[in-house]
Amino acid sequence: MSTIILLLITGLGLGALYFLVASGLSLIYGLMGVLNFAHGSFLTLGAFAGWELSRRMGGESWGTLIASMLLGMVVGAAVAAATEFLLIRRLYNRHIEQVLVTVGLALATVALFEGIWGTDPIYVTAPPWLSQTTEILGARVPNDRFLMIGAAVLVLLGIVAFLRYTRFGLIIRAGVENRSMVTALGIDVRKAFTVVFAIGGAAAGLGGVLASHYFGYVSPQLGGSLLIFAFIVTVIGGLGSLAGAAIASVVVAVLQQFANYFWGGTGDLMVVLLLAVVLLVRPTGILGKKA
Amino acid sequence: MTESILTVAGLNANIEGQQVVEDVSFEMLPVGVTALLGRNGVGKTSTLRAIMGLIERSGEVTIAGERVDREPTHRIVQRGVGYVPEDREVFASLTVNENLRLAERDSAPNRQLIEELFPDLIARAGQLAGTLSGGQQQMVSLARALVNDNRVLLVDEPTKGLAPLIVMDVAKALERAAQTVPVLLVEQNLQVVRMLAEKAIVLEGGRVVYDGSAEELLGNEALTKELLGVA
Amino acid sequence: MKSLSKLSQRTWWIVGGVLVVVAAILPLLNISIPGVLPGATYTPGTLQLLALALLFASLALSYHLLFGTAGMLSFGHALYFALGAYGLGIVLHETELTLLPALGLTLAIVITAAYLLGSLSLRVTGISFAMVTLAFAQAGNVLVRRNPGLTGGEEGLRLDTEHIPDFFIGVVNTRNLYWLALALLVVVFVVVAWFENSRAGHAVTATRENELRVRVLGLRPFGVKLMAFVIASVLASLVGMVHLLLQSGTTPRATSADFTLTILVIVVLGGVGSRWGAIVGGIIYTLLDQRLTALASSDAIDGLPAILRIPLSEPLFILGTLFILVVLFLPGGIAGAVQRLSTGTSATPSERKLLEEAE
Ligand SMILES: Nc1ncnc2c1ncn2[C@@H]1O[C@H](COP(=O)(O)OP(=O)(O)O)[C@@H](O)[C@H]1O
Ligand SMILES: [Mg+2]
């Protein structure tokens, strides 16, 4: 029983990381039709920014942790908005070329990060509480899981509130459904593009800082390895659906944890298998709109 | 002669490499309803979409004396063009109210007119547009255009697929709208055309084949049959 | 007009033939191109590099069939390259088969895998297809890393030379491997050209342009797409097999997403939709990669201030940036640029269109 609780909560923690990456991917894809390969780099940069801050301020304090999370969000948002503004926008509506540009950006930035910070993992320090455990129904759960889950829930609520209560949110929801009709109502939908990139980048940047605590290190490859699972999550959840991304994040991560534990480390393969099954049964994903 | 609010000259448009609008030229009446007619697939919808900049196009489109054929869709709309697309295209996952809010460009939107014309919608303000009936969705779509003070309305088959009673509701709403803003109306229901339109333009294979009085066209059974395939 | 285009088609084949002959006698010549090649053309080091360039050209051609011709943006093409390399390596290691039968067995495995995974991936189109192929490739990556007993894990798999003919083994025989790579390039080129001009090839191109029209014509887009997918995968696996022989082994990098992206970069640099572009892209990429790596560790770079030194010492940074610039400013890649120069036009709508359709 305690093992199951542990796996479940750890899965939720990992799922929280997936969600922080996948939410932005899914929104960006839903509104703009762009598959953003550079999203992993937003995450990695957020993680490095957080680490640079914490090594200057002393990583053991809560203040530093919170500051580094905020910094990760700001850096992620800024870089993402700049990416949209400088690169993606020039290729308006040319989706394949937009994907290609993000591929180039991903390759170039990972190489740049390696040049700056080296290829080896850099271990991070955190408030001691995070590496302690809390007992829940007999399971000793590492505390950092709760940080991941709490942050992801806050981000989810924040994005939902933004989408529901702001004019940009209204435009984004409408645009995901039918972008050309939004322009036919006299709205310059491109302004919303920069906004979704910024939101996605902020979530990814925050995800980067959290991931560095979940895995215990930062490396230039951090974003890329999470990105692939985030892609799978967005396809399973349904491209463009935030709720789908949230559900699929949890399903994928929990499945991964259980398979790794009970079926001899087959977690990653099970996830791909799940993807195959979803494609066979429901090619649009759990909550995806019909193609 | 008063200047036409919307003039189209030598308009061409392509969809997936196929020319669907070919050298189309016409002028709208400065007031009232101008009908754009033709059998299915002759390019009426494409003509409207080309005017709106929703598909690749070339040629001249002038709104109130200003060329707009190189402008993006949202700018054209901001010049005072209301567009009611074929098949309504309401945002199904948004509420009625959100659909209207999204459309509001003016600082003082005509909510009152909407309330008068479509009282039903106000009662259903919080309902998801996707759960409305076809007629109600059409009213949302019309309301999105009427909520602003436009200089011209482009309306594409507003009565398509509606029950006869509702067809008349929609026609009356259009008649009312046309008192204040000129309307370019694509319509298959000739009864509605008779009731509303003074001028008619007929397309065939992407080209204009008739440009003149609506009454004369519809009064001539043989011509109507030849151009529209129905009497 | 028709005879003219036929003639020019013919001319191209002749030019190609001459180039192949020139390439074939290179190992017998003593040509040095300082700054491009590490040594004279007969030296094993240079031949190794040139053979690698030819392999990348072949691999790019196979991807061209997938992306340029059939419009399928796959992010998992490396999987089939890796399947060829690891498959052959493992068969040679685990069985007593000699090279040719081992090759045949590996091919059978590749065809089965490509058919199954292709059928599954093609249930979705566009961006979803890209993500799904990426996921399958990732699963391959995991399998390779998690089974060190079979694949050598992170260390990679060394070629078991016991059952390999002597003329493919050792530094002195590099030129035989070079000729093998050249022969493979010719084979891949002919297969790709044949497919593109076949009925299925026309159908698959039409599918890219307008899937609906193909359905109306009574053709099944799924069938021809799957055929293109399987052929491209088989060609990639052949490249993987020769790569295994040339490098005397293979590493998990062959299964990585980065490797697929590299192939994509090559094809786009060369020019999407152009066979020659893919070949030129493959060769230029390989040489550039090698040169940039040499540059990265050169003294000239070492002396620069950090803000220049760090980016310039990362070959992938330069390539990635170059790639972005090509996508933004040079639609149609190298092939497109050459064509514009030779015909003096600047219009590029067809090239743009090609990329648009590739969704
Ligand atoms: N999305 C599309 N893809 C391909 N062809 C289209 C598309 N939309 C319209 N067409 C073609 O364009 C032509 C004109 O269509 P349309 O403008 O919708 O005609 P109308 O509104 O007069 O019925 C038709 O031949 C139709 O088949
Ligand atoms: Mg129509």
Side-chain angles (χ1 to χ4, degrees), chain B residues 15-16 20 39-46 86:
Chain B
I15 299 178
E16 298 189 359
V20 291
R39 297 169 214 245
N40 263 329
V42 296
K44 305 180 295 293
T45 298
S46 303
E86 192 173 19

Side-chain angles (χ1 to χ4, degrees), chain A residues 262-281:
Chain A
F262 289 110
W263 299 317
T266 55
D268 296 356
L269 297 180
M270 283 301 148
V271 169
V272 174
L273 201 65
L274 174 68
L275 174 71
V277 171
V278 169
L279 285 179
L280 276 174
V281 180

Side-chain angles (χ1 to χ4, degrees), chain A residues 226-239:
Chain A
L226 276 169
L227 185 67
I228 289 179
F229 288 105
F231 278 158
I232 296 177
V233 161
T234 40
V235 174
I236 291 180
L239 286 163

